[in-house]
Amino acid sequence: MNGGRVIRRLMSAVVMAVVLVGAGGADAGSRVYGDVTVSIEEPMSISGSTKGYSVYRMTVTNTGGEVRRVRVQLPGESYGGYGDRLASLSKTVRVEPGSSVNTELLQPRLSLQGDGAAVWIDGSRQQQTLPLTLVSLSEYYGGALTPVQILASRRVDEALRTGFQRAVDELESRSSSGSSWSGYSSTPATMVRMALPPGEWSGNWLAYTGFDAVMISDREFDQLSVEANGALRSYVEAGGFLVLTGERAVPSMPRAWSGAWVLEGDGTGEMRVGLGRVVLGLERSFVRFNTDQWEDRFSDWRLSGRMRGVAPDAQSAESALPMLERLDLPVRGLLGLMLVFTLVIGPVNVLVLSKLKKRMWLLWTVPLLAVLFGGGVLGYSIVSEGVRPRARTVAVTVLDQTTRRSVTLGGTGYYAPLTPGDGLRYPLSAEVTPCVEDIYGYYGGWGSDAGRPRRMDVTTDQHMSEGWIVARVPAHLVVRLPEVRRERLDIRPAEGGGLSVVNGLGKPIRRLVIADAQGMIYRLGSIAAGASAVSGPGEPRQEGHLRTRSPLEEAVSASPMLAAANLEGMTFENADTSSFPASTYLAVLDNDSFLEPGLDNLVSHEVRGVVIGYWREGE
């Protein structure tokens, strides 16, 4: 027995040493609780970031002889509450004897107001909190220009970083004189240097969503793990910028990265992937950039933030996707009930008790009548509105049939007469951004009682349990979800010059516009899921300048919450087909989309969904 104890203690010491050494590349908090060691790395996020998730990488090691259930909750020590905030972020893991579990805590764009992490082992809370600095997030008011946030790998050239900082300093100087770049933030761009080697980069795409661009040398790109490579692929597909620097004119790309480089004269080029871009820049080209060239890059990367589902404030979201406009409030009935209540609790009550010579009973009849009428008002509203929630969704899905990859960008609004007991549930791969209150110039502001605390658990999914939807208050979320999908349209030439289409999207299509490889435009009407249809002869694409931005980019940049509605308008006969690239289709779905509402038992769900697809003839 003593020998076993000695061995377990030695194992615990070795594990602790390994944890501390492994955390040398990033700040981490670690603590030993008997035979369980918990280590959490601070996210590679910018404090005060205005977008994206913060991902805390966590390692739990069990050196004992029994299975342990370990629950970790952020924050361990709360500062109190103000504004919209994340009051609790938790995850539970099961750790077998003599093993470790590597996992992650996902913090959406809500501040954790506190410090450290609380730990429960087998249901028992440990006295000591784990030391950890939590990420504070914010959002500036009035469309102020927030800094472009760049994540740079360790081996990005020092001369490049020096040139970047020189351009930032000059732009700040111009801003103070009012001659060029201007905004409420103190700097046009910031660069965070990744502490970890490429082999240890996160394999979760959400870890990169807080950055407008990720800059990595071509040699480090080759050293990324398969998981990190896939995470960066998803990040770019969802609208991000990946900047490759180095001395190779065209670096080798994994097969999963499809596309073609478009090289420019200054030694740079780009490849479109989904909604984002991979930017190639020879090291010497970036080093030679002047301030104006850097400013152009910052503008491009800032625009990507709008393409990546930045959420509006709650008031703007309700205006874009209204949940109250169709709410049939029983105004007359409620006013009548209040009038009856006023008469009964006042004159009638006094008159009756006076005749009975029991006026002292007013001390209990008034509260009793108030409770009865309050219950009557609640019952009347429940009968008129029901108890089940309703939702509205607008969603656009970019589906690349050649790679079977997709990214869905959308927004969902909710209204519930009663607070749902189980809250919302979204997959761990989804970026979910709440539309929160705009308080005194920024969202979730200091010193205000507005907003509310929310709780979230990420053990098996993103379970948004409390505070996300409350009774009689509209709530809105913006969601981005990159994923692999096998759905497709089977498009083939038909006799008579048209196209034969089989709807393999699994959802009914209301209208469909297709551009073939030659740019001919074909229009079709309703097609049920699994059914086929044949178009008439094609029509030439309208003359005009083919936009460098896709129809989706045009629609989303105008209004992320209304992208589906904007794209739907492009499918009518008077649509400007000059904006349709070759081998592209635009399908308006019939009250359906690829974005799930995250809430069951809906009494109604109004959906406006659009799919923009890329296809290849004969595939």
Side-chain angles (χ1 to χ4, degrees), residues 74-95:
L74 310 180
E77 298 178 357
S78 176
Y79 293 157
Y82 50 86
D84 284 284
R85 61 198 182 275
L86 197 57
S88 169
L89 173 63
S90 62
K91 184 163 190 173
T92 302
V93 297
R94 173 188 169 96
V95 192

mmCIF file of all heavy atoms in Angstrom, residues 74-95:
data_model
loop_
_atom_site.group_PDB
_atom_site.id
_atom_site.type_symbol
_atom_site.label_atom_id
_atom_site.label_comp_id
_atom_site.label_asym_id
_atom_site.label_seq_id
_atom_site.Cartn_x
_atom_site.Cartn_y
_atom_site.Cartn_z
ATOM 1 N N LEU A 74 -16.115 28.811 -14.651
ATOM 2 C CA LEU A 74 -15.574 30.168 -14.667
ATOM 3 C C LEU A 74 -16.730 31.148 -14.469
ATOM 4 O O LEU A 74 -17.811 30.929 -15.022
ATOM 5 C CB LEU A 74 -14.899 30.458 -16.007
ATOM 6 C CG LEU A 74 -13.876 29.441 -16.538
ATOM 7 C CD1 LEU A 74 -13.338 29.931 -17.882
ATOM 8 C CD2 LEU A 74 -12.750 29.225 -15.555
ATOM 9 N N PRO A 75 -16.568 32.232 -13.689
ATOM 10 C CA PRO A 75 -15.406 32.513 -12.840
ATOM 11 C C PRO A 75 -15.500 31.758 -11.515
ATOM 12 O O PRO A 75 -16.593 31.408 -11.067
ATOM 13 C CB PRO A 75 -15.516 34.031 -12.627
ATOM 14 C CG PRO A 75 -16.972 34.302 -12.667
ATOM 15 C CD PRO A 75 -17.550 33.335 -13.672
ATOM 16 N N GLY A 76 -14.348 31.581 -10.887
ATOM 17 C CA GLY A 76 -14.335 30.970 -9.569
ATOM 18 C C GLY A 76 -14.742 31.960 -8.499
ATOM 19 O O GLY A 76 -15.401 31.615 -7.521
ATOM 20 N N GLU A 77 -14.335 33.215 -8.683
ATOM 21 C CA GLU A 77 -14.696 34.286 -7.769
ATOM 22 C C GLU A 77 -15.308 35.410 -8.585
ATOM 23 O O GLU A 77 -14.660 35.987 -9.454
ATOM 24 C CB GLU A 77 -13.462 34.785 -7.007
ATOM 25 C CG GLU A 77 -12.815 33.707 -6.135
ATOM 26 C CD GLU A 77 -11.564 34.207 -5.438
ATOM 27 O OE1 GLU A 77 -11.187 35.373 -5.694
ATOM 28 O OE2 GLU A 77 -10.978 33.455 -4.658
ATOM 29 N N SER A 78 -16.570 35.729 -8.331
ATOM 30 C CA SER A 78 -17.289 36.720 -9.124
ATOM 31 C C SER A 78 -17.119 38.109 -8.544
ATOM 32 O O SER A 78 -17.013 38.284 -7.318
ATOM 33 C CB SER A 78 -18.771 36.359 -9.184
ATOM 34 O OG SER A 78 -19.499 37.347 -9.873
ATOM 35 N N TYR A 79 -17.097 39.120 -9.430
ATOM 36 C CA TYR A 79 -17.024 40.511 -9.007
ATOM 37 C C TYR A 79 -18.407 41.114 -8.780
ATOM 38 O O TYR A 79 -18.545 42.284 -8.489
ATOM 39 C CB TYR A 79 -16.323 41.362 -10.076
ATOM 40 C CG TYR A 79 -14.872 41.041 -10.262
ATOM 41 C CD1 TYR A 79 -14.235 41.340 -11.453
ATOM 42 C CD2 TYR A 79 -14.135 40.439 -9.255
ATOM 43 C CE1 TYR A 79 -12.893 41.058 -11.641
ATOM 44 C CE2 TYR A 79 -12.796 40.140 -9.431
ATOM 45 C CZ TYR A 79 -12.176 40.456 -10.632
ATOM 46 O OH TYR A 79 -10.855 40.167 -10.810
ATOM 47 N N GLY A 80 -19.460 40.354 -8.965
ATOM 48 C CA GLY A 80 -20.802 40.912 -8.946
ATOM 49 C C GLY A 80 -21.350 40.935 -10.357
ATOM 50 O O GLY A 80 -20.941 40.150 -11.200
ATOM 51 N N GLY A 81 -22.248 41.855 -10.641
ATOM 52 C CA GLY A 81 -22.839 41.847 -11.965
ATOM 53 C C GLY A 81 -23.243 43.208 -12.463
ATOM 54 O O GLY A 81 -23.652 44.075 -11.697
ATOM 55 N N TYR A 82 -23.108 43.421 -13.761
ATOM 56 C CA TYR A 82 -23.578 44.622 -14.439
ATOM 57 C C TYR A 82 -23.718 44.280 -15.910
ATOM 58 O O TYR A 82 -22.926 43.549 -16.489
ATOM 59 C CB TYR A 82 -22.611 45.801 -14.241
ATOM 60 C CG TYR A 82 -21.175 45.458 -14.545
ATOM 61 C CD1 TYR A 82 -20.676 45.533 -15.841
ATOM 62 C CD2 TYR A 82 -20.322 45.023 -13.542
ATOM 63 C CE1 TYR A 82 -19.373 45.186 -16.120
ATOM 64 C CE2 TYR A 82 -19.014 44.685 -13.812
ATOM 65 C CZ TYR A 82 -18.544 44.772 -15.104
ATOM 66 O OH TYR A 82 -17.242 44.428 -15.373
ATOM 67 N N GLY A 83 -24.754 44.802 -16.531
ATOM 68 C CA GLY A 83 -24.928 44.622 -17.961
ATOM 69 C C GLY A 83 -25.136 43.177 -18.362
ATOM 70 O O GLY A 83 -25.313 42.270 -17.535
ATOM 71 N N ASP A 84 -25.131 42.933 -19.658
ATOM 72 C CA ASP A 84 -25.193 41.572 -20.196
ATOM 73 C C ASP A 84 -23.852 40.902 -19.952
ATOM 74 O O ASP A 84 -22.807 41.431 -20.338
ATOM 75 C CB ASP A 84 -25.516 41.604 -21.685
ATOM 76 C CG ASP A 84 -26.983 41.909 -21.944
ATOM 77 O OD1 ASP A 84 -27.819 41.009 -21.769
ATOM 78 O OD2 ASP A 84 -27.268 43.051 -22.318
ATOM 79 N N ARG A 85 -23.860 39.735 -19.370
ATOM 80 C CA ARG A 85 -22.619 39.096 -18.959
ATOM 81 C C ARG A 85 -22.815 37.591 -18.888
ATOM 82 O O ARG A 85 -23.951 37.088 -18.897
ATOM 83 C CB ARG A 85 -22.172 39.625 -17.591
ATOM 84 C CG ARG A 85 -23.190 39.344 -16.489
ATOM 85 C CD ARG A 85 -22.967 40.220 -15.272
ATOM 86 N NE ARG A 85 -23.897 39.929 -14.199
ATOM 87 C CZ ARG A 85 -25.108 40.447 -14.108
ATOM 88 N NH1 ARG A 85 -25.549 41.258 -15.048
ATOM 89 N NH2 ARG A 85 -25.887 40.151 -13.079
ATOM 90 N N LEU A 86 -21.697 36.886 -18.808
ATOM 91 C CA LEU A 86 -21.716 35.440 -18.633
ATOM 92 C C LEU A 86 -21.434 35.169 -17.155
ATOM 93 O O LEU A 86 -20.293 35.286 -16.695
ATOM 94 C CB LEU A 86 -20.660 34.795 -19.530
ATOM 95 C CG LEU A 86 -20.785 33.293 -19.807
ATOM 96 C CD1 LEU A 86 -22.136 32.970 -20.431
ATOM 97 C CD2 LEU A 86 -19.666 32.827 -20.719
ATOM 98 N N ALA A 87 -22.486 34.857 -16.413
ATOM 99 C CA ALA A 87 -22.328 34.651 -14.975
ATOM 100 C C ALA A 87 -21.665 33.319 -14.667
ATOM 101 O O ALA A 87 -21.041 33.163 -13.613
ATOM 102 C CB ALA A 87 -23.689 34.725 -14.283
ATOM 103 N N SER A 88 -21.799 32.344 -15.576
ATOM 104 C CA SER A 88 -21.231 31.020 -15.318
ATOM 105 C C SER A 88 -20.941 30.324 -16.638
ATOM 106 O O SER A 88 -21.802 30.267 -17.514
ATOM 107 C CB SER A 88 -22.211 30.181 -14.484
ATOM 108 O OG SER A 88 -21.805 28.824 -14.428
ATOM 109 N N LEU A 89 -19.721 29.814 -16.774
ATOM 110 C CA LEU A 89 -19.310 28.995 -17.914
ATOM 111 C C LEU A 89 -18.702 27.723 -17.347
ATOM 112 O O LEU A 89 -17.699 27.780 -16.618
ATOM 113 C CB LEU A 89 -18.288 29.738 -18.773
ATOM 114 C CG LEU A 89 -17.644 28.935 -19.912
ATOM 115 C CD1 LEU A 89 -18.693 28.500 -20.918
ATOM 116 C CD2 LEU A 89 -16.548 29.744 -20.594
ATOM 117 N N SER A 90 -19.285 26.569 -17.647
ATOM 118 C CA SER A 90 -18.844 25.343 -16.987
ATOM 119 C C SER A 90 -18.701 24.195 -17.973
ATOM 120 O O SER A 90 -19.233 24.218 -19.086
ATOM 121 C CB SER A 90 -19.845 24.948 -15.885
ATOM 122 O OG SER A 90 -21.122 24.692 -16.439
ATOM 123 N N LYS A 91 -17.955 23.179 -17.537
ATOM 124 C CA LYS A 91 -17.795 21.946 -18.299
ATOM 125 C C LYS A 91 -17.438 20.824 -17.339
ATOM 126 O O LYS A 91 -16.680 21.004 -16.386
ATOM 127 C CB LYS A 91 -16.713 22.087 -19.364
ATOM 128 C CG LYS A 91 -16.568 20.850 -20.245
ATOM 129 C CD LYS A 91 -15.825 21.138 -21.521
ATOM 130 C CE LYS A 91 -15.907 19.978 -22.495
ATOM 131 N NZ LYS A 91 -15.320 20.308 -23.804
ATOM 132 N N THR A 92 -17.984 19.619 -17.604
ATOM 133 C CA THR A 92 -17.715 18.445 -16.788
ATOM 134 C C THR A 92 -17.030 17.385 -17.639
ATOM 135 O O THR A 92 -17.456 17.116 -18.766
ATOM 136 C CB THR A 92 -19.021 17.872 -16.204
ATOM 137 O OG1 THR A 92 -19.673 18.883 -15.422
ATOM 138 C CG2 THR A 92 -18.745 16.667 -15.327
ATOM 139 N N VAL A 93 -15.973 16.788 -17.099
ATOM 140 C CA VAL A 93 -15.248 15.731 -17.809
ATOM 141 C C VAL A 93 -15.131 14.500 -16.922
ATOM 142 O O VAL A 93 -15.103 14.604 -15.692
ATOM 143 C CB VAL A 93 -13.836 16.197 -18.250
ATOM 144 C CG1 VAL A 93 -13.930 17.342 -19.235
ATOM 145 C CG2 VAL A 93 -12.984 16.612 -17.052
ATOM 146 N N ARG A 94 -15.053 13.357 -17.554
ATOM 147 C CA ARG A 94 -14.835 12.081 -16.868
ATOM 148 C C ARG A 94 -13.399 11.655 -17.151
ATOM 149 O O ARG A 94 -13.002 11.534 -18.319
ATOM 150 C CB ARG A 94 -15.826 11.040 -17.374
ATOM 151 C CG ARG A 94 -15.597 9.623 -16.861
ATOM 152 C CD ARG A 94 -16.519 8.659 -17.591
ATOM 153 N NE ARG A 94 -16.164 7.271 -17.325
ATOM 154 C CZ ARG A 94 -16.740 6.517 -16.397
ATOM 155 N NH1 ARG A 94 -17.720 7.024 -15.650
ATOM 156 N NH2 ARG A 94 -16.376 5.264 -16.226
ATOM 157 N N VAL A 95 -12.620 11.416 -16.086
ATOM 158 C CA VAL A 95 -11.203 11.100 -16.230
ATOM 159 C C VAL A 95 -10.937 9.716 -15.645
ATOM 160 O O VAL A 95 -11.177 9.469 -14.453
ATOM 161 C CB VAL A 95 -10.310 12.145 -15.523
ATOM 162 C CG1 VAL A 95 -8.848 11.955 -15.932
ATOM 163 C CG2 VAL A 95 -10.777 13.559 -15.836
#
